[in-house]
Amino acid sequence: AQSVAQPEDQVNVAEGNPLTVKCTYSVSGNPYLFWYVQYPNRGLQFLLKYITGDNLVKGSYGFEAEFNKSQTSFHLKKPSALVSDSALYFCAVRVGGKLIFGQGTELSVKP
Amino acid sequence: DADVTQTPRNRITKTGKRIMLECSQTKGHDRMYWYRQDPGLGLRLIYYSFDVKDINKGEISDGYSVSRQAQAKFSLSLESAIPNQTALYFCATSDGRNGANVLTFGAGSRLTVL
């Protein structure tokens, strides 16, 4: 079955430290991969996507993600976390023209 | 005004009642989707529509129906609401001409079924 998984329900990081939110996928063919963020009481906002090309993708708010085909991963990263980055993060993969989402990872950045 | 507008934003209803959640968009997108969000389960696709005459079931369509009244409008109905349909519902749109399929989401409709 084609799917995407986020192995961590929660990630805790100190402000100023680098952060990583993990995502692995299982799809046939070349994947289209996405990251979205959800702030409290808000809808999801698009952060970045990987379609093809450079394995390191840069997105909004200083986030980036690294596509690794051999490990079937698409981890979200940021060099220096901010308290305002605290939110729920979703990885997604395109299957048949629609997106399948992971279960989400709650990121908490403490001062 | 928001690009994707959902109404109502909050609704409390009783078991057995019929409920309609409405979604309208000003993005000019041809594709529209309804997702349901539950804690720990992420977002699950209920129904999706790639154009006005196209309706497709998602992974959890039982107990739900949809209507695509126009390119800009896509409504979700619960024919007879039950408590396990208590959730946060999101409408989303995308441009089918763009192969990347980036979704634009509404702010969500929180439904509580008592």
Side-chain angles (χ1 to χ4, degrees), chain A residues 29 47 81:
Chain A
L47 276 180

Side-chain angles (χ1 to χ4, degrees), chain A residues 9 32 34 36 38 41-46 49 51 88 90 94 96-104, chain B residues 9 31 33 35 37 40-43 45 48 50 88 90 98-103 105-108 110:
Chain A
D9 291 336
Y32 284 23
F34 304 80
Y36 285 80
Q38 183 182 27
N41 300 313
R42 303 281 296 275
L44 279 72
Q45 298 177 32
F46 169 73
K49 66 182 184 293
I51 305 298
L88 186 57
F90 290 97
R94 194 185 81 166
K98 55 193 184 294
L99 293 194
I100 295 175
F101 287 83
Q103 65 269 42
Chain B
R9 292 292 314 278
R31 299 183 175 191
Y33 310 80
Y35 284 89
Q37 183 180 15
L41 296 178
L43 276 75
L45 184 62
Y48 61 103
F50 284 173
L88 184 57
F90 285 105
N98 182 334
N101 208 50
V102 174
L103 300 185
F105 282 84
R110 185 169 296 281

Side-chain angles (χ1 to χ4, degrees), chain B residues 59-106:
Chain B
E59 58 182 307
I60 54 162
S61 59
D62 287 349
Y64 301 94
S65 62
V66 291
S67 174
R68 184 85 183 263
Q69 301 96 324
Q71 185 185 38
K73 296 183 182 294
F74 193 38
S75 60
L76 176 72
S77 293
L78 288 67
E79 299 304 324
S80 179
I82 56 177
N84 75 1
Q85 292 177 313
T86 293
L88 184 57
Y89 291 84
F90 285 105
C91 175
T93 72
S94 70
D95 183 352
R97 295 166 298 177
N98 182 334
N101 208 50
V102 174
L103 300 185
T104 301
F105 282 84

